[in-house]
Amino acid sequence: MIHFDAELLNSTLRLATPLILAALGGVLCERSGVVNIALEGMMLAGAFFGMLGSYWTGNPWVGMLLGAAAGGAFGLVHAFLTQRMKLNHIVSGVALNIFALGLTTYLLRKLFMHAGGSPPVNGLPMWNLPGLGEQNPLTELALAGTLLMTPFLWRTPQGLRLRAVGENPEAALAAGIRVGRVRFAAVIAGGLLGGLSGVYLSLGQLNMFAEGMSGGRGFIALAAVIFGRWTPLGAAGAALFFGFFDALQMRLQGQTVGGVVIPSEFMLMLPYLLTIVALAGFAGKAVAPAALGNDEATASN
Amino acid sequence: MENTPAVEMIGITKRFSGVAANEGVDFTASWGELHALIGENGAGKSTLMNLLYGLHIPDSGEIKVGGDSVRIADPRDAIALGIGMVHQHFMLIPAFTALENIVLGAETAKLGLTDFRAAEAKVLATGERFGLRVDLHKKVADLSVSAQQKVEILKALYRDARILILDEPTSVLAPQEAESLFEMLRRMVAEGMCVILISHKLNDVISYADRVTVLRRGRVVASLETGQTCPEELTRMMVGEDVPTAEPQKASVVGEGAVLKVRDLSVRGRSGRALDSVSFDIRPGEVLGVAGVDGNGQRELAEALVGLTRSTGTITLGGVDISGMSVRGRLEQGMAYVPEDRRFALAPDFSILDNSILGFHRGFAYHGILDLDEMVERADELIGRNDIRASGPGAPVKSLSGGNRQKLVLGRALIGEPTILIACQPTMGLDVHATAEIHRRLLAECTRGAGVLLISYDLDEILALSHRVLVMYQGRVAGVLTREEASREKVGAMMLGAKA
């Protein structure tokens, strides 16, 4: 009934790409000790400004940079609110998500005099990836990022410091590390990746922006971070897992089991259901960065 | 260089929300000197050293290092000036290896990757020089407390510290471990380093330090050669008056039978058993002291007895098997508990009123509504009977001093006249007077006929109060000694794994 073919693999990669990018951003941010439920908003902002950049210039690459920058800007605000203003990380994240939805919806209607979606814009061209065929450059970036982030976190001084401020900021401070600076860098970098994941939605898949087009993927990416135990490989693996079930539900729509048509609503629910099952089953055993959400050491003297 | 002092702090004042922690403090320590900084809890010793290490910034005053006036805004500045600090609560990352902890913040890189091999060579060479040996590839979480302390010292030395500050380094060590620490510090001093030691163990100060500076209520009382003074004089300077003999009178009558019987009590830990087949009895009117280096199962023992941790084995209290009971059931059977950390006993933002009925709140509720008058009565009773200094029952607990908080915790635990009291670190962080008061209350419970299980990492406290001493090592009972058998040396050796 199900054929594991190149097409299924391709659609898995397609659907997993934004999840992987956002999850990698989430890993960077949370490893530094800053809770990031703002991924959803970063993604949505990235999608909108990616589209806008491409619409203004006709160049999708400019769109990509603008979308990434928008995500980075959200990261900057999140870092400022949590580290400088000592705002609760969850509160800041929720606020940014709501702000992103409001901002993009407002700008869309204001700039295009049109509710629901933007006009079509130029999307990113496909690149040929050996072994994987034609792929979006952002898919390639997601895969490369997954492979590079592990040595970055565990083998470089910067990675060691990033993990240190997430585990015990007081100890990191006493070891001579500028805790606030490391966290700002990590959260902004996470925002850039979150923005890129949104760019993939608008310039990699639909070549347009639709209101609320992130559709909860930021939260699924966050689930992938937890499911993947805050490691790049684990988070990307979890994102692929979710992507696979998303691809599967598309494939299974309209299929019959024992003569009964499976309602498409049930199939659409499947990836989310699996997210809950995966989190309930694995999150309890997951080892979060010890100082996730702790801002004591960044307080001024 | 040898002629200019290593550290000069001149007229240092530091206030926290209006309260002066240091007031016009002058402090000088020289190269090649082990300088002890002593004083009661809250005298401002740690604050002064935190200022030197850049964790706080002084409100006024001047700091000179090696003769040059400097501004130390954060630990980076201090490290750059060759200052290292070993904090009382270690500043280590448990999930990292010893080596990662040591290089963190001072990494060298090769092609962008951390050069752990070069770092390890440097750490090993430094360790060799001062006799510091640690398994560098183990996670800090898996190291013993004394090994963690060595990691902290290596961390400072790796950053080429020439001035090393240690905050209460011996409070977590067995006597023998403390001795080897001091030998190591003497070696550093012999090489010309300046070592500053915050301590309250006056005998250690007299034996090992060259000079001593005494702080009282944020001010310097005296700074003198250790050869010219004695523990009695130093105590007088610290407290500001003559202290009645610290040795309390032990209750002489220990009854027959056992109020508490513990058999084969075990608790599963992260790896293996955190508590392994522990058995003992406590007789009425007896203080059983539990000695041991921090992390050898004492916390698990207390929590298993109170019912906070799942355990196997049997616990019998006054003839009743309480092993299967909830915490509430055990308390109702006559157990009382003073936890190691006062944060687990009190809600700091709550008033004394609310805190004084915590855990006993059911007795104050009628048809689900708390009776405020009865609560006030209880709070007033606790305040009066325990001599708690507070503005009134409505004062938030966080406004109380550590000593008054502990009096409240102990007073609340004792109000139901328990048959067994589990007291963990009951005098940690308290000043001389509060400590004496808590000790007096514990012994009064014995006179009443209650049994007391006293868990403390301070061997002197155990030896001063206990009728018998149970020594724990790696979750097991290393042995139980009578007070007569329990010498410092013998208990110390058992704390490190020697058989009774």
Side-chain angles (χ1 to χ4, degrees):
Chain A
M1 166 173 114
I2 308 160
H3 301 285
F4 290 92
D5 47 27
E7 200 194 313
L8 190 65
L9 174 71
N10 253 325
S11 56
T12 296
L13 269 181
R14 222 160 20 82
L15 292 163
T17 294
L19 298 180
I20 296 175
L21 285 169
L24 291 177
V27 168
L28 276 184
C29 182
E30 299 223 329
R31 273 280 171 188
S32 82
V34 179
V35 182
N36 195 352
I37 65 160
L39 280 174
E40 177 77 10
M42 294 168 171
M43 203 186 258
L44 194 59
F48 179 83
F49 286 96
M51 174 278 294
L52 197 62
S54 180
Y55 176 82
W56 276 341
T57 64
N59 185 340
W61 298 104
V62 175
M64 186 180 91
L65 291 180
L66 191 64
F74 268 66
L76 176 67
V77 174
H78 190 46
F80 178 78
L81 290 177
T82 57
Q83 301 307 305
R84 284 285 155 75
M85 308 308 286
K86 302 291 156 207
L87 190 61
N88 177 289
H89 297 193
I90 302 285
V91 172
S92 168
V94 169
L96 284 173
N97 285 337
I98 295 170
F99 175 66
L101 186 61
L103 179 75
T104 54
T105 305
Y106 170 77
L107 286 179
L108 181 74
R109 296 179 186 186
K110 194 81 188 162
L111 294 175
F112 299 100
M113 301 300 170
H114 193 282
S118 74
V121 294
N122 291 333
L124 292 166
M126 299 295 260
W127 281 358
N128 200 355
L129 197 73
L132 288 167
E134 290 266 299
Q135 292 294 350
N136 190 288
L138 285 174
T139 304
E140 288 151 24
L141 182 73
L143 296 176
T146 303
L147 295 179
L148 287 175
M149 199 177 281
T150 303
F152 168 75
L153 282 175
W154 275 272
R155 296 289 310 163
T156 69
Q158 292 76 18
L160 189 71
R161 291 170 184 209
L162 190 152
R163 287 186 296 125
V165 301
E167 287 287 339
N168 186 346
E170 291 86 358
L173 184 73
I177 292 170
R178 294 190 176 104
V179 175
R181 215 178 265 203
V182 173
R183 283 189 165 172
F184 261 82
V187 178
I188 292 170
L192 289 172
L193 285 165
L196 282 174
S197 75
V199 169
Y200 181 82
L201 296 179
S202 62
L203 299 183
Q205 280 184 328
L206 290 179
N207 297 343
M208 66 170 284
F209 175 83
E211 272 180 30
M213 78 185 301
S214 49
R217 285 185 187 81
F219 295 111
I220 295 188
L222 186 62
V225 173
I226 299 166
F227 190 24
R229 293 169 152 257
W230 287 270
T231 64
L233 284 176
L240 279 169
F241 173 81
F242 294 139
F244 171 72
F245 276 96
D246 209 7
L248 197 63
Q249 68 80 10
M250 288 186 171
R251 171 74 61 91
L252 290 180
Q253 276 185 33
Q255 298 259 9
T256 59
V257 173
V260 182
V261 179
I262 306 169
S264 63
E265 288 82 2
F266 179 80
M267 284 298 160
L268 282 169
M269 199 172 75
L270 199 61
Y272 299 92
L273 196 66
L274 276 164
T275 304
I276 294 172
V277 171
L279 286 182
F282 290 87
K285 294 173 209 134
V287 194
L292 195 56
N294 170 356
D295 291 325
E296 267 163 45
T298 45
S300 56
N301 286 307
Chain B
M1 178 168 114
E2 301 305 324
N3 296 326
T4 50
V7 177
E8 276 177 282
M9 301 176 82
I10 304 149
I12 299 287
T13 295
K14 175 70 184 176
R15 289 165 195 279
F16 293 105
S17 42
V19 182
N22 288 148
E23 184 96 63
V25 169
D26 295 325
F27 174 81
T28 306
S30 308
W31 299 113
E33 177 180 271
L34 205 170
H35 196 117
L37 188 57
I38 65 169
E40 285 218 76
N41 284 295
K45 307 170 298 226
S46 295
T47 302
L48 188 66
M49 288 302 109
N50 283 339
L51 293 171
L52 184 55
Y53 194 61
L55 287 168
H56 303 302
I57 297 167
D59 298 335
S60 61
E62 190 187 5
I63 299 177
K64 286 185 182 176
V65 173
D68 302 320
S69 186
V70 293
R71 190 176 170 277
I72 304 174
D74 63 17
R76 297 169 57 83
D77 295 340
I79 291 166
L81 289 166
I83 302 170
M85 182 161 179
V86 177
H87 300 265
Q88 190 176 6
H89 301 285
F90 298 150
M91 294 286 191
L92 295 172
I93 294 163
F96 283 15
T97 65
L99 188 60
E100 284 176 326
N101 268 289
I102 291 167
V103 303
L104 178 65
E107 310 88 349
T108 50
K110 235 186 192 172
L111 300 171
L113 301 180
T114 315
D115 193 351
F116 281 113
R117 197 173 295 175
E120 187 172 353
K122 182 174 173 185
V123 173
L124 285 175
T126 310
E128 197 66 38
R129 207 161 105 218
F130 296 110
L132 282 154
R133 219 159 281 139
V134 189
D135 186 344
L136 293 174
H137 298 286
K138 256 195 181 171
K139 279 194 175 159
V140 160
D142 298 326
L143 291 176
S144 72
V145 176
S146 80
Q148 292 184 18
Q149 187 175 64
K150 288 178 185 150
V151 173
E152 280 279 38
I153 296 172
L154 282 169
K155 208 165 101 182
L157 296 177
Y158 180 77
R159 290 158 167 72
D160 301 317
R162 297 270 302 145
I163 299 164
L164 184 65
I165 308 161
L166 298 103
D167 192 350
E168 300 274 5
T170 59
S171 60
V172 293
L173 301 179
Q176 285 85 344
E177 289 172 327
E179 221 167 277
S180 70
L181 171 71
F182 280 120
E183 278 166 25
M184 193 166 66
L185 296 182
R186 291 295 337 172
R187 230 191 278 189
M188 292 176 190
V189 169
E191 288 204 9
M193 282 176 61
C194 167
V195 177
I196 304 171
L197 174 77
I198 298 179
S199 183
H200 66 256
K201 297 199 172 165
L202 302 179
N203 289 320
D204 289 347
V205 168
I206 301 277
S207 316
Y208 296 103
D210 302 304
R211 277 187 78 81
V212 54
T213 296
V214 186
L215 284 179
R216 185 170 75 231
R217 290 191 195 145
R219 292 167 187 276
V220 174
V221 182
S223 186
L224 61 172
E225 304 273 330
T226 50
Q228 298 169 348
T229 184
C230 60
E232 291 71 27
E233 188 190 21
L234 291 178
T235 307
R236 230 172 8 249
M237 290 175 172
M238 277 165 54
V239 182
E241 60 194 87
D242 283 311
V243 183
T245 45
E247 189 77 11
Q249 284 303 304
K250 249 171 263 175
S252 49
V253 195
V254 171
E256 290 303 310
V259 274
L260 185 75
K261 245 189 208 164
V262 176
R263 292 292 175 272
D264 292 321
L265 194 65
S266 296
V267 172
R268 255 204 336 216
R270 223 160 40 90
S271 53
R273 284 177 166 185
L275 196 65
D276 193 356
S277 308
V278 167
S279 302
F280 61 86
D281 289 344
I282 298 183
R283 289 173 286 174
E286 179 182 48
V287 178
L288 179 67
V290 177
V293 174
D294 186 5
N296 277 281
Q298 299 96 317
R299 198 166 298 129
E300 288 81 1
L301 173 63
E303 293 187 347
L305 289 175
V306 183
L308 291 166
T309 304
R310 210 181 286 185
S311 60
T312 58
T314 57
I315 309 165
T316 318
L317 177 56
V320 181
D321 184 354
I322 60 165
S323 321
M325 287 188 185
S326 64
V327 177
R328 182 180 166 190
R330 293 176 199 217
L331 297 183
E332 283 171 356
Q333 279 298 318
M335 187 178 271
Y337 176 47
V338 175
E340 172 178 330
D341 192 328
R342 282 187 280 281
R343 281 178 302 180
F344 298 144
L346 298 169
D349 290 314
F350 281 20
S351 61
I352 297 177
L353 188 67
D354 292 335
N355 273 290
S356 55
I357 65 154
L358 268 190
F360 300 92
H361 45 282
R362 290 176 201 85
F364 292 86
Y366 298 95
H367 309 296
I369 309 289
L370 290 170
D371 185 325
L372 200 61
D373 292 339
E374 276 190 34
M375 284 168 63
V376 172
E377 217 171 280
R378 165 66 61 93
D380 282 337
E381 185 188 344
L382 279 174
I383 291 173
R385 218 201 266 181
N386 298 288
D387 187 28
I388 294 167
R389 312 278 167 82
S391 55
V397 153
K398 66 180 173 194
S399 69
L400 300 183
S401 71
N404 283 312
R405 283 185 210 193
Q406 190 68 327
K407 284 188 215 165
L408 177 60
V409 173
L410 189 63
R412 187 181 64 192
L414 297 181
I415 211 152
E417 303 215 326
T419 49
I420 184 85
L421 172 67
I422 315 237
C424 305
Q425 294 274 74
T427 60
M428 189 169 68
L430 303 188
D431 63 28
V432 174
H433 290 289
T435 300
E437 178 58 22
I438 298 290
H439 285 170
R440 197 187 60 73
R441 291 296 309 260
L442 290 179
L443 293 173
E445 287 306 296
C446 290
T447 314
R448 192 172 57 74
V452 176
L453 184 77
L454 171 68
I455 297 178
S456 176
Y457 308 129
D458 182 352
L459 188 50
D460 295 325
E461 178 171 53
I462 295 271
L463 295 180
L465 297 178
S466 310
H467 298 94
R468 286 185 302 148
V469 178
L470 184 155
V471 188
M472 290 198 70
Y473 178 66
Q474 294 188 344
R476 293 180 200 197
V477 178
V480 181
L481 305 174
T482 64
R483 179 60 191 90
E484 292 69 38
E485 295 168 334
S487 64
R488 275 185 70 82
E489 291 65 35
K490 189 158 186 187
V491 175
M494 286 167 69
M495 283 163 75
L496 296 174
K499 291 271 173 283

